[in-house]
Every structure is written in C-alpha cells, then in structure tokens.
Amino acid sequence: MSTDIEAGLLQPEALAGAVKDAAAIIAAASNLEELAAAKSATLGDKAPVSLARRAIGSIPGKERGEAGRNVNAARTEITGLYEAREEILKAAEAARILREETVDVTARTARRREGARHPINVQMDRIADLFVAMGYEIGEGPEVELEWFNFDALNIHPDHPARTMMDTFHIADGKGEYGSNMVLRTHTSTVQIHTMLTQEPPIYTVAPGRVYRTDEVDATHSPVFHQTEGLVVDKGITMADLKGTLDHFAKSVFGAEAITRLRPSYFPFTEPSAEVDVWFAAHKDGPRWIEWGGCGMVNPRVLRACGIDPDVYSGFAFGMGVERALMLRHGITDLRDIIDGDVRFPAGLKVEE
Amino acid sequence: MRIPVSWLAEYAALPDDLTTEALDAVLVEAGLEVEEVDDLRGRVTGPLVVGRVASIEELTEFKKPIRHCWVEVGEAEPRSVICGARNFAEGDLVVVALPGAELPGGFKIGSRKTYGRLSDGMICSARELGVSDDHEGIIVLESGTVGEDARPVVGLDDVVFELAITPDMGYCFSVRGIAREVAHRLGVAFTDPAAKAVEPAATEHPPYPVRVETDGCSRFTLREVRDVDANAESPEWMAKRLTQAGMRPLGLAVDVTNYLMLELGHPLHAFDRDALEDVMVVRRAKAGETLTTLDDVERKLDPEDMVITDGTGPLSLAGVMGGQTSEVGPTTRNVLIEAAHWNPTAIARTSRRHKLTSEASKRYERGADAAISLLAAQRAADLLVEYGGGTLVDAVADIDHREPITPITIPVDLPSKTIGVDYDRSTVVAMLEAAGCTVEGDEVLTVTPASWRPDLTDPADLVEEVARLHGYGHIPSSIPRAIAGTGLTSSQRRRRRVARALADNGFVETYTFPFVSRDRADELGLDEKDPQREAVAVLNPLDDAAPLLRTTVLASLVNAVRINLSRGAKDLAVFEEGLVFQPAEGWSDLEVVELPVSKRPEDEAIAAAIRRLPVQPRHVAAVLCGQAVPAGVDAPGRAVDWADAVEAAEVVAAASGVTLDVAQGEAAPWHPGRCAALRVDGVVVGHAGELHPEVCERLGLPRRTAAMELDLTALPLPDLAPAPVISHFPATLIDVAIVVGETVPAGEVEAALRAGAGELLDSLRLFDVYRDAKLGEGKKSLAFKLELRAADRTLTNEEGVAVRDAAVAVAAERFGAAIRE
C-alpha cells in the first residue's frame, strides 16, 4: 500500500465519508449481534478510522497535529453513534425478554391454606379488649367446679328454687353415683367467687368463658355455650354505675345507637337484680329491643361468703350470652352453625379482631 | 301463671283507656315477665250469638244420629241448624256461630246444605271456639239474652297474660299479688280479695279430730260443709276464669279450691270427710310408708316428707299432691276443707325427691301467705255453700304455730347509696309500704315485711323493692372511674398469640363438646395403663353414649374432623384449644369439705375442698389430613405428613416464646415410628406426628392423618429475652456430610454438631439425607450447612475448617460419625 493512499484516508472528505458510511452500517444493525459486527466494521482494526489513525505516521510532522484531531473527531462521532444505537437495542432486547416472560396472573392456584379463628373466641377477645381498656382484668376459673362455687357461695343454697331452675350437669362420684359435690359450671359467675377469694377490692374483672347446661341442641340451644361475666367491687359502686357500664358495653357490641333498659328480675347472687334489654338498630328484622343478659348489685351475702365487708364495699355483676350476641350481630339463625365444628363457619365469617 | 285481664280488673281498678300494650309494659316494669299475650277477642271473628233451641228433629236415616234444630238467634225467624251433638234439649241456651263467622283454625261458617237440610249456622262446643279442650258436647249456657254477642258469656271478650314468675315473687302466683303490683304501678286502687271472707275464730272442738306433730306445718286450718253437691257444675263465671287460666273445670269442690288458689295464691285441699277414719294427724312420713297420689303413681315416702294421715295411713303428700283414697268423689256429700302453711324448704325437697311439681308445691316452695290460711278455707266453704247448697259446720280448726315476722333494719339512705338515685325518706317509706311492709323509724328504718313476702329477709331485698317499685327506668347511667389495670396476663396474651399463629399458618379454629364415649380410649389405642384413660364422668349426660369428659383435646377434636369429612371436605387443618379434665389423684377417697357461706372459708378449707377437683390444664391440639399443599397449575401438590404436625407444634412453641426439643417418641394415638415427643427444658409437653393407621381406621379418618397436642399450661412463660448479637462481618459457609448408622437420629447428630461448633456457629441446617451401597450397609449420610460468623472479625478459612472439625469430632465421639469425602 502506498503512503499516498494511506495519506488519502486522512483527507477531511475521506473521514467525513467514513463517518457517513459508519452511520449507515450502525443504523442497519437490528439487534445486538448485528451491532457487534457493525462495531467491528466501523471501529475495529480494519475500520477506515483505525486505518486513518495508523496513516498519521506517514505524513509530515507539522500536519500530524491537525490530522490527529480530525481522526479523533471522526472516531468520537462514530462511537457516539454506536453507543446510541446500543442503548436502543439493549432497551428493545430487555423489553423483548420481559414480553416473552409474561404470564397469566389469574392462572394461579393458592399455595397457602387459609386459616381462621373461631368467631366465638374472637368475640370474647374483643369483649376482653373493651374492658381491659376500661382498666378491668380478665378472670378465669375451672369448668368442672365445686358446687360451693357454682351455687352455695352465690347464695343458691341446696333447697333454693334456682338450683332446680338451672339444668346442671353433675359429675359422678367415684362409684358413678350422685354426691361428688362437683358440677360442670352452669354460669361464669363462679369466676366472681374465685376472683373475690383471691383479690382485695377494688376489683374490676370480666370473665368470658365456656359454660354447660343440660339443654338439647337445637336452633337456639346448646349444652355447651359461652358467657361473659362482669364483676366490679369497690367503694361507692351503684346500680347507676352498672347501667352506665352496660350502656358502654352495648355500644361496643351492638353499635353506637345501642342503649340498654333494665327490667326487674331475680338472681340469687344479685340484689337488686335486673334483666338487660338492648336496643339493636341493625337487627335483620328492623330495630328492636332484644334480651341480652342478667345483672344486678352483688348480693351482700355473696360478698360476705368471700370475706368482703358489704358495709364498706358494694359491687355490680352482669352475665351475657356470647352466642346470642354473635347471632344477632351477624344474622345467624341457627346456633348449630356455630357449634358443629364445620370449618366453613369460621372460614366464612370474618369477625374483626 | 295465666291471668285474664277481667279477673285482674276485679281487684286493680284499671283505667278504662288502658291498652293491652300499656298493661304489658306495666307488668314488665314490675318484674313480671310477659311470656305471651293471648287476645281471646280475636279467636272467633264474625257473628257469634246466644241462641235458644226452639225445636229438635231427630234424623235417624244416617250412620250416626243427627239433629235438625230450629234456633232462635234474635232474628225474625229461627234458623235451621244441623248438629251432631246430643247434650242439649229444646229451650236450652246455646252459642251459635252464624254464616260469616270464622272459628279458630280458619274454620269459616257458611250457609250450606247437609244431611238433606239447610244448615244456616253452627251450634258450638268449647273446643270449637278455642275456649278449652273440652269436647264433651256443645256449650249449654245458664243464662244469656238471645241474639246478643256470645263472646262475653263464654269468656272470649278477654285478654289473657301469661307471666313468668321469678322465685322471689311467689306471691305473684296469684291474682291477688299481680293486682297489687299493677295497682301500684298505675297508681290506682287495689282491693284485697282476701277481704272477701271474714276470718272465724277457732272453736274448742275442730270439725274433725286433728293433731299436728311436725314443725314443718306452721298453720293448719279446717272448715267443713255438710250435705253439699260437691260435684255440682261450677258457676259459669268460675268455670270461665278457670278455663282462661288454663285449668279444666272438674266439679264444684275441686274447682273452688283451684279458683281460690289462683285468686289468693293459697293452695287448699278438699277431703271427702266420710272417707276419713280416726284422727287426722299431720306428721313426717315413716320409713316404708307409701301413698298413691292423684296422678296414679305409688310413691315410697321418705321420713322427711310431710303427710296428712288418718287411721289408715297417709292421705296426702302435704303441700304437693293429694292421695286417691280421700279425694272428693262422685258420692261425696260432706267436704272437709284444709288450708295449711308448710315449710317451703320441706316442700321443695319433697317435690324434688318425688320429681313431682304441682300448682300447690310451686306456691308453697316460694312461700304462701300463712296469714290468710283460714280466710281461704272460709271463702272456700262460703262458695261451696253458695253454689253447692250445703250447710257450713260451726266448728273451726286453726292450729297456729306461726312465728312473728322478723323486722329488718335499714339505714334510710341505703337505697340511694346502692342505686345511685336520690330517694328521699318519704319515697323510701312509700315504696316499702307499697310492698306491704310496716315501716317505723327515721334515719334507720325498722321494716316488717308483709306476711306474703317471705322473700324479704335482708336490707338488700328492701333496697330492691324501693328501686323496683319506684321504677328501674329512673336509674341514671354513670360509669365508674377507670382504675389502674394491668391488662391481659402473660398467659392470656400467649393464648391469643397461639391461636392467631395457628390461624395465620392455615389452621381453622373450632371447638368441640368435651363429652366422649367410653370407647374413645380404645379407639385411640390407649394402653390399658395409660393415665389418659382415667376420666371424670358426667352423671346425667345428654347422650348416654358420651358420658366422659375428655382427657385430651384430640379425643373430641376428631369428632369435628369427622363432621367435616362427612360433609365432603378432604383437605383439613383444624385446631382447638380448651380445657381437659384429669381426675385428681385419689380424689374419690377424699372427704367432701363443706364450706360455709356466712363467712369466708379458711384458706386451708378451700384448698382441701379444691383438692378433689379434676386437674384442668389448657391444651391445644391440631389435626391435618389430605393435601397440605393442593395440586395446582405450577405444582403437583403435597400430602400432609408427620412433619406438618411437628411444624404445627413448633408454631405454637414459637408463638409461646419457647423452643421445643423434638425427639423420637412413642405414644398413643400416634404411629409408633412416626411420633415426635416434644420437650421443653427436658419435660414432655406433648406429641406430634402421624396417627396410628389403626386409629385412623377405627375413627374413620383418612390414612396418614397427622396430629399434635401440646399442654399449653406446661409451657413456661418467656422470661425477659436477651438481645441477639448482630455481627457485621461476612459469614463463612461450610457444608459437611456426616455418615452415621441408620438408627442415629438426625436431631442428635445436629445437636452434637452444635455442641462441637461452639460460639462461632451462626446457623445449622440439615439439607440432605442420602443412602447408598457405597456408604455401607445400615449407614446414611446427613448433609448440613453450617454458617459461621464472629462478632468482631472476618473468619479465615483455617478458622472455618477448625470449627467444622471440632463439630465433627463431637459427632464422631458420640456416634462414630465420619465425614463423607
């Protein structure tokens, strides 16, 4: 190759032509593979700008400076064209891969079993939370009870008519006969006694729990059900305090419009005693009064049996059915749905925890 | 207690404009729960009139005798009516439903042709009108005006309230009591029905020789009526009221006693005087005595039962039910009326002992009014004489051992302090007087309750009377000041976390009745000596097949699994937490400790009494079957296995803040080779694994059903936890494969590696179990990943290898383990 030809590569026109050619080659590359070939053709060892750089040595020294600058400018321009094209092609390639990886996000099978808590237990937890927020503690007691806790200490002596009113499961004695002196607790009021025997007033306690009565299962009865007991013993506690506490409780269970109404009634362990009705605005058959539970001022005889001086302290107590409130709130018409163990009930009834 | 408004109105001056709804509200405010309002006025609609049978033509050509009657109903012409009944005669007054009337059950009366004649109305029986169940024939009236509305005559012009009476309001088992309450609430006049008779004085000789030999009878009175038609039909007004109250008229003597019991609340008994022999003695029964009561049951008497006897033995079970020998019968001419007062407790016991509740026992149990015993007997005698035509015998028996009523003292401000309503003194006194009490005193009141209020014994009872009679509606709503509570206890918080964690891990919470069958222990494959067989039994279970209380939650939880399987479920993961019942050791030999109620029992006495109670720890159990992960578009699915059960236990442990040591175990009802014993601090707290195939088969559970049960009560509550050391230096990762004998548990190898690796071990994980002939017979290779890290530096490779070798050395020492090259 003659040096003239080499020197000709350094002519500005030649460099401009090389840039133009390179631009066409780079633009023609439609993917990164072709772009790699285009790079080799336009910026590689055999590319015109590379050959031109090598030709610089063959020209006079004083011309080299300018020739070098021209070659560099051309090379820089071609590199710029290449990089711009590379960016476009890389983006297209990334977009292609993402497009090809597209799935049908609705074609999915659940990989996780769905669990749930039982609404009755959730309901009891919520009640506990409400009263904890009011400073109460949560009381507990056994389900198989001494008759003394279930009856005697609650002023239900052996011949009391109320003792026959309650349909009690008795525990068989060692010979399988009557006389064990133990029962399945018929109410959570037993927890009142445990609490008062172990704590000094002031006592502010609620006790949600399971209770037992000999009722055959039907749409509204079960031999195993749940109650929430409440007990307050302090100085100067009045029935107005009971009413206010129940109003507050009612609003939490039955909505902001709920109010309560007390009707005179009888429980051996409270005197005065009352039945509580609650105004339930969201009842499925329209707003109405519904029976909610029993309550009253703790009978001084009960305080005395627990070693609390009724001349110093007074108190109130209440007991509400948990199932009934749940049924009313959610329009459940058959109690058996709650109790028969079908997993579709807890899974299907989402109760806010 | 069923009470017609017209009867109530006789003693409480009800305002004319008082609506049924308003009366309902008044009763409820008084504490008398209204169970039903029976508006008799709507029973029959349309024309129902009094008619007179003008003529009867007997039709004999039909299968049964039929009467064709002409009945005057106050119209221009008599009506033609066909009737199948035969208990009436020409000239009788009857009740006629005319066309357009509708009887109970939607039976519409029309004009129609039957038996070849026109029937232009219907002559009615009591049952057809819905008045009573009496279907002995059509109603023949004593009096009435032809053509007038017949409803008032047969009692269909009334409203009947059915009330539930609480045990403390025994006096409201009477018109007398209810009228008193209603009159007070309405502020209207009350007339005491007891005042209708005048109490006679006892005579030297009683009408019949009698002795009272028991302290259970505080008053015993007798009156006698001779030559009376004891079986005469009762007057219409009495029969009507009895019917409305739900009792059947049976004949004058019996009806009078029932009527007065309803009106006064005081039971009475009528004896056939001529059936009595020798002296009447009131006493406790003797062992071995029997009595056939009116309900035709022969009863073995208990020495505590009180009886009225004569020379032949017991005549009646006092205060509960009469006997058959001395009852008023068809031939009775001379009637002896007894009105007595019995000890409520004794009556309650007798009633319970013989499972016999009567109208009389209900009232005596709650305390009848002993002050009116003789008045009641007198009134009965008066009515017998008036309607049965007899002669009242002058002699009167009144054996009176009543104790004076004990007054109660009460600070006048106690009601205000207890209720939170400011009752002034005059209100307190007025309310107590309204309750029938006699009140004296100023700051401290001395209150003597009425004879009909034996329930008033304590100051608190008087407080209730003041609040109740003043009205619960006046009680305001306040709320006690919040106290410094401490929130849920640690174990209560744990219980919630456990349930929540299991639910979040795909388990559905359920609960089962804790009643299990005697066969359940066998079905679960419990060993003969397994302590879980020791169960407490319910004496009176609803289901005789399930009398035992569960000793494990699994024993009853499997029932819920079966229910779900029977309803088509296949993949299940359920859990339950609840109490189990384990008999206390030797409980049945421990003596029953009687605890007092008049004062707090001593701690030692409580502790001794409680010793007999079953131990009742809280357990949590879970059961899984079917697919743990269902087959789906991207995975073949995975069946439940033993490891799922162990993991469920670990979920519980993690939520409880404890670490379980998992080791090979063997316990029923689990598969002997696939059961993990779960320990905390060396104590077994439960088991998990696959259920024994035979257990699955016996209980109808799918093969490979897995389960776990943990004693939550046995898990220690977490202490204040130390914070972990967080190293900022990179980890050194080393894999090591260890070859050990087939019988060496992986968990123990892991423990050995941990022990050997020491402090620099950050984590350790089993990632492969490999068996190959090259390893040798009975060998397996366990591959572990070790992650090593120091708190203060990056470990060098040499340090890493040293830790690994130290770890392997311990495994080698314990199990002869070797590194697999």
Side-chain angles (χ1 to χ4, degrees):
Chain A
M1 190 188 283
S2 77
T3 52
D4 284 349
I5 297 169
E6 288 176 357
L9 290 171
L10 292 170
Q11 292 303 312
E13 301 76 25
L15 284 173
V19 169
K20 196 180 164 199
D21 291 347
I25 292 168
I26 288 168
S30 63
N31 58 43
L32 289 171
E33 210 168 84
E34 287 175 23
L35 186 64
K39 185 183 185 184
S40 150
T42 57
L43 294 166
D45 286 350
K46 303 264 172 60
V49 286
S50 304
L51 295 175
R53 182 183 294 276
R54 260 179 260 136
I56 288 173
S58 65
I59 62 169
K62 62 178 170 37
E63 292 172 21
R64 286 181 190 170
E66 191 189 345
R69 279 191 292 279
N70 288 343
V71 170
N72 276 346
R75 191 176 178 90
T76 302
E77 192 174 352
I78 294 168
T79 302
L81 288 168
Y82 167 79
E83 285 175 351
R85 186 63 186 162
E86 185 187 36
E87 194 174 325
I88 290 167
L89 289 179
K90 272 193 174 167
E93 176 71 2
R96 182 188 62 81
I97 290 169
L98 291 176
R99 199 164 53 246
E100 284 173 2
E101 285 179 357
T102 297
V103 295
D104 173 2
V105 297
T106 63
R108 188 177 67 87
T109 317
R111 297 172 188 179
R112 211 172 58 85
R113 277 188 318 248
E114 187 89 25
R117 291 207 57 205
H118 196 284
I120 285 287
N121 290 342
V122 174
Q123 179 85 11
M124 291 197 291
D125 285 353
R126 288 202 54 184
I127 292 168
D129 287 341
L130 172 77
F131 282 96
V132 163
M134 294 161 74
Y136 285 53
E137 283 164 18
I138 309 302
E140 291 168 358
E143 290 172 12
V144 170
E145 265 293 8
L146 294 177
E147 288 191 18
W148 189 83
F149 284 87
N150 198 71
F151 296 125
D152 303 67
L154 288 161
N155 193 34
I156 312 172
H157 57 76
D159 297 303
H160 203 290
R163 206 134 161 172
T164 53
M165 273 164 53
M166 292 187 184
D167 309 306
T168 310
F169 284 112
H170 291 272
I171 300 299
D173 72 5
K175 300 188 193 82
E177 287 163 14
Y178 181 82
S180 73
N181 206 28
M182 292 188 281
V183 298
L184 278 165
R185 67 177 180 191
T186 58
H187 45 200
T188 43
S189 306
T190 53
V191 182
Q192 288 186 29
I193 306 303
H194 288 285
T195 306
M196 286 191 280
L197 285 177
T198 51
Q199 291 179 33
E200 298 280 323
I203 292 170
Y204 289 74
T205 296
V206 287
R210 189 167 297 175
V211 298
Y212 301 84
R213 292 195 198 165
T214 58
D215 289 324
E216 296 281 356
V217 171
D218 65 22
T220 54
H221 292 89
S222 166
V224 181
F225 59 104
H226 299 82
Q227 284 185 335
T228 304
E229 190 77 9
L231 172 71
V232 166
V233 180
D234 203 345
K235 285 177 183 163
I237 292 296
T238 68
M239 203 157 168
D241 294 329
L242 167 62
K243 173 92 165 72
T245 304
L246 291 174
D247 281 337
H248 188 64
F249 184 12
K251 282 179 177 32
S252 136
V253 178
F254 294 104
E257 289 163 76
I259 49 168
T260 65
R261 170 174 86 177
L262 300 182
R263 283 184 286 117
S265 189
Y266 171 77
F267 306 102
F269 35 97
T270 50
E271 190 78 35
S273 301
E275 296 269 359
V276 193
D277 294 343
V278 64
W279 180 255
F280 182 36
H283 193 283
K284 66 181 169 62
D285 300 326
R288 67 193 53 211
W289 288 105
I290 51 167
E291 291 180 20
W292 190 26
C295 66
M297 301 304 290
V298 181
N299 194 317
R301 288 173 183 243
V302 175
L303 294 177
R304 228 171 272 132
C306 297
I308 294 174
D309 184 352
D311 291 334
V312 178
Y313 294 102
S314 58
F316 65 71
F318 57 82
M320 311 305 177
V322 178
E323 278 82 353
R324 186 173 160 71
L326 188 78
M327 289 175 79
L328 285 164
R329 270 170 57 116
H330 298 281
I332 302 162
T333 51
D334 196 331
L335 177 61
R336 284 168 287 210
D337 289 344
I338 300 178
I339 60 174
D340 68 6
D342 194 316
V343 294
R344 290 170 297 178
F345 180 74
L349 177 58
K350 301 294 182 195
V351 184
E352 184 202 339
E353 283 187 42
Chain B
M1 170 88 192
R2 282 174 62 90
I3 178 165
V5 173
S6 65
W7 199 347
L8 179 63
E10 187 177 345
Y11 301 112
L14 304 183
D16 290 338
D17 59 354
L18 183 71
T19 61
T20 303
E21 293 71 32
L23 181 55
D24 190 326
V26 160
L27 290 164
V28 169
E29 283 164 19
L32 295 159
E33 192 183 331
V34 177
E35 293 206 312
E36 201 195 333
V37 181
D38 194 359
D39 191 341
L40 304 180
R41 297 170 301 188
R43 286 248 173 117
V44 179
T45 58
L48 185 76
V49 299
V50 176
R52 184 192 308 279
V53 181
S55 68
I56 299 173
E57 179 196 354
E58 305 283 353
L59 305 181
T60 53
E61 64 265 43
F62 303 104
K63 271 188 223 154
K64 54 176 185 170
I66 296 294
R67 286 176 156 189
H68 175 226
C69 311
W70 289 97
V71 186
E72 297 163 7
V73 293
E75 297 166 340
E77 297 292 330
R79 285 189 182 236
S80 166
V81 179
I82 296 294
C83 184
R86 310 190 53 77
N87 64 320
F88 61 101
E90 287 179 359
D92 276 353
L93 290 172
V94 293
V95 179
V96 188
L98 299 178
E102 185 172 336
L103 304 189
F107 182 38
K108 291 191 171 103
I109 305 299
S111 229
R112 64 194 173 100
K113 207 143 182 216
T114 181
Y115 296 103
R117 306 287 198 287
L118 179 69
S119 192
D120 202 13
M122 181 171 135
I123 305 176
C124 303
S125 71
R127 188 153 83 176
E128 284 157 349
L129 294 176
V131 172
S132 77
D133 287 340
D134 199 346
H135 199 39
E136 278 168 23
I138 59 120
I139 300 170
V140 177
L141 302 171
E142 280 172 21
S143 60
T145 309
V146 171
E148 281 198 351
D149 189 3
R151 286 179 185 80
V153 189
V154 293
L156 287 180
D157 59 337
D158 222 331
V159 177
V160 178
F161 279 84
E162 182 159 358
L163 305 175
I165 310 293
T166 54
D168 62 333
M169 288 180 94
Y171 65 100
C172 281
F173 267 116
S174 70
V175 178
R176 184 189 188 214
I178 296 166
R180 189 189 303 275
E181 289 294 336
V182 169
H184 166 77
R185 285 229 80 76
L186 291 171
V188 298
F190 165 70
T191 313
D192 191 346
K196 279 194 166 178
V198 179
E199 186 172 285
T203 52
E204 193 187 339
H205 297 288
Y208 192 91
V210 57
R211 282 202 313 271
V212 174
E213 295 180 347
T214 168
D215 60 358
C217 175
S218 62
R219 197 171 185 195
F220 192 88
T221 71
L222 289 174
R223 292 251 53 191
E224 186 188 356
V225 179
R226 291 198 163 261
D227 297 321
V228 65
D229 182 359
N231 295 292
E233 210 161 302
S234 295
E236 224 165 63
W237 59 267
M238 188 186 293
K240 193 172 82 179
R241 283 182 170 175
L242 285 172
T243 305
Q244 286 173 333
M247 296 186 109
R248 229 178 118 168
L250 297 166
L252 186 62
V254 174
D255 291 352
V256 161
T257 57
N258 283 336
Y259 180 82
L260 291 176
M261 176 179 69
L262 294 173
E263 183 160 293
L264 300 172
H266 197 303
L268 294 151
H269 194 76
F271 288 100
D272 181 343
R273 189 195 201 283
D274 302 322
L276 305 180
E277 286 177 27
D278 305 332
V279 177
M280 186 181 264
V281 178
V282 180
R283 59 168 169 80
R284 302 271 176 179
K286 292 172 186 159
E289 280 185 326
T290 60
L291 172 67
T292 303
T293 40
L294 280 174
D295 54 358
D296 210 16
V297 177
E298 185 182 276
R299 300 182 185 274
K300 276 191 186 159
L301 300 179
D302 184 277
E304 270 200 53
D305 292 331
M306 283 183 296
V307 284
I308 301 174
T309 66
D310 70 354
T312 64
L315 299 170
S316 93
L317 198 50
V320 181
M321 193 172 274
Q324 286 185 330
T325 56
S326 57
E327 280 314 297
V328 169
T331 58
T332 302
R333 295 301 302 166
N334 302 314
V335 175
L336 198 59
I337 296 166
E338 167 245 306
H341 188 262
W342 309 99
N343 178 299
T345 303
I347 299 298
R349 287 184 184 166
T350 293
S351 174
R352 245 205 331 271
R353 194 177 298 126
H354 295 286
K355 295 187 171 62
L356 176 60
T357 303
S358 65
E359 291 295 323
S361 72
K362 268 198 291 194
R363 288 170 174 81
Y364 280 128
E365 232 181 274
R366 289 161 175 81
D369 184 358
I372 63 165
S373 298
L374 186 51
L375 279 168
Q378 178 65 41
R379 179 100 189 278
D382 293 345
L383 286 170
L384 275 182
V385 169
E386 187 176 352
Y387 295 100
T391 326
L392 182 63
V393 173
D394 287 338
V396 176
D398 184 5
I399 303 169
D400 190 352
H401 300 307
R402 278 179 293 162
E403 301 278 337
I405 296 168
T406 316
I408 309 162
T409 55
I410 165 178
V412 73
D413 62 353
L414 186 63
S416 298
K417 279 186 172 165
T418 311
I419 306 299
V421 171
D422 195 9
Y423 306 106
D424 58 23
R425 184 189 176 280
S426 63
T427 305
V428 172
V429 171
M431 294 307 134
L432 292 174
E433 283 174 351
C437 302
T438 313
V439 185
E440 287 170 65
D442 205 21
E443 287 302 302
V444 174
L445 304 178
T446 302
V447 183
T448 309
S451 55
W452 64 85
R453 294 300 304 267
D455 60 299
L456 301 182
T457 56
D458 294 14
D461 300 328
L462 301 180
V463 169
E464 177 175 80
E465 285 308 283
V466 171
R468 183 178 72 85
L469 292 169
H470 184 255
Y472 277 9
H474 296 293
I475 301 173
S477 187
S478 63
I479 212 157
R481 193 168 49 84
I483 63 147
T486 53
L488 299 179
T489 62
S490 185
S491 68
Q492 287 163 349
R493 288 196 300 273
R494 175 175 72 185
R495 192 178 151 193
R496 284 198 190 185
R497 273 199 312 275
V498 164
R500 186 67 265 168
L502 284 168
D504 287 343
N505 279 280
F507 290 82
V508 176
E509 184 176 28
T510 186
Y511 65 88
T512 50
F513 295 176
F515 309 119
V516 295
S517 69
R518 293 191 187 278
D519 296 337
R520 187 46 56 90
D522 294 334
E523 288 165 347
L524 293 172
L526 299 186
D527 190 79
E528 282 307 318
K529 284 175 195 145
D530 194 315
Q532 291 175 16
R533 278 186 179 269
E534 295 293 319
V536 175
V538 174
L539 188 67
N540 53 334
L542 282 183
D543 177 2
D544 287 332
L548 301 183
L549 293 182
R550 67 183 179 193
T551 57
T552 63
V553 170
L554 277 180
S556 66
L557 180 56
V558 291
N559 295 337
V561 175
R562 284 159 58 153
I563 284 277
N564 282 283
L565 292 170
S566 75
R567 293 179 181 178
K570 292 199 165 50
D571 307 330
L572 285 169
V574 296
F575 80 99
E576 173 175 0
E577 59 98 17
L579 299 189
V580 300
F581 307 90
Q582 301 158 347
E585 211 179 317
W587 70 277
S588 62
D589 298 329
L590 295 173
E591 235 172 89
V592 171
V593 179
E594 297 290 343
L595 299 175
V597 293
S598 55
K599 63 180 176 69
R600 187 189 193 282
E602 300 296 331
D603 283 337
E604 299 75 45
I606 296 171
I610 284 180
R611 222 165 281 145
R612 299 178 65 255
L613 269 188
V615 180
Q616 298 169 56
R618 187 170 289 281
H619 280 200
V620 59
V623 178
L624 305 100
C625 62
Q627 295 288 103
V629 180
V633 292
D634 55 354
R638 181 176 72 73
V640 156
D641 65 20
W642 60 271
D644 291 297
V646 176
E647 201 157 88
E650 282 178 334
V651 165
V652 173
S656 305
V658 297
T659 308
L660 287 180
D661 297 324
V662 178
Q664 208 71 25
E666 195 172 341
W670 282 274
H671 185 308
R674 297 183 172 187
C675 171
L678 309 170
R679 288 184 179 79
V680 174
D681 300 337
V683 178
V684 175
V685 293
H687 292 88
E690 184 180 309
L691 290 181
H692 197 294
E694 288 170 14
V695 171
C696 292
E697 190 167 326
R698 282 193 290 262
L699 290 173
L701 303 175
R703 293 183 66 231
R704 309 278 178 225
T705 296
M708 71 90 181
E709 177 147 355
L710 279 173
D711 181 353
L712 271 184
T713 310
L715 300 185
L717 291 167
D719 284 331
L720 206 56
V725 176
I726 309 291
S727 166
H728 295 195
F729 294 89
T732 301
L733 305 178
I734 298 185
D735 288 359
V736 59
I738 308 266
V739 179
V740 290
E742 188 60 67
T743 56
V744 177
E748 292 183 19
V749 175
E750 186 179 320
L753 292 175
R754 278 184 193 283
E759 281 189 339
L760 293 176
L761 182 68
D762 210 36
S763 75
L764 173 69
R765 190 162 69 86
L766 176 68
F767 71 93
D768 193 30
V769 181
Y770 173 74
R771 294 179 180 84
D772 191 295
K774 284 182 209 151
L775 294 174
E777 187 73 11
K779 297 275 186 189
K780 64 184 174 190
S781 161
L782 304 170
F784 294 90
K785 273 190 193 303
L786 283 70
E787 204 173 308
L788 311 176
R789 214 191 290 258
D792 56 350
R793 65 189 189 281
T794 302
L795 293 178
T796 62
N797 283 341
E798 290 71 27
E799 280 179 302
V801 169
V803 168
R804 183 197 66 183
D805 291 346
V808 172
V810 174
E813 186 195 325
R814 290 189 188 171
F815 311 111
I819 288 193
R820 183 157 71 102
E821 301 300 341

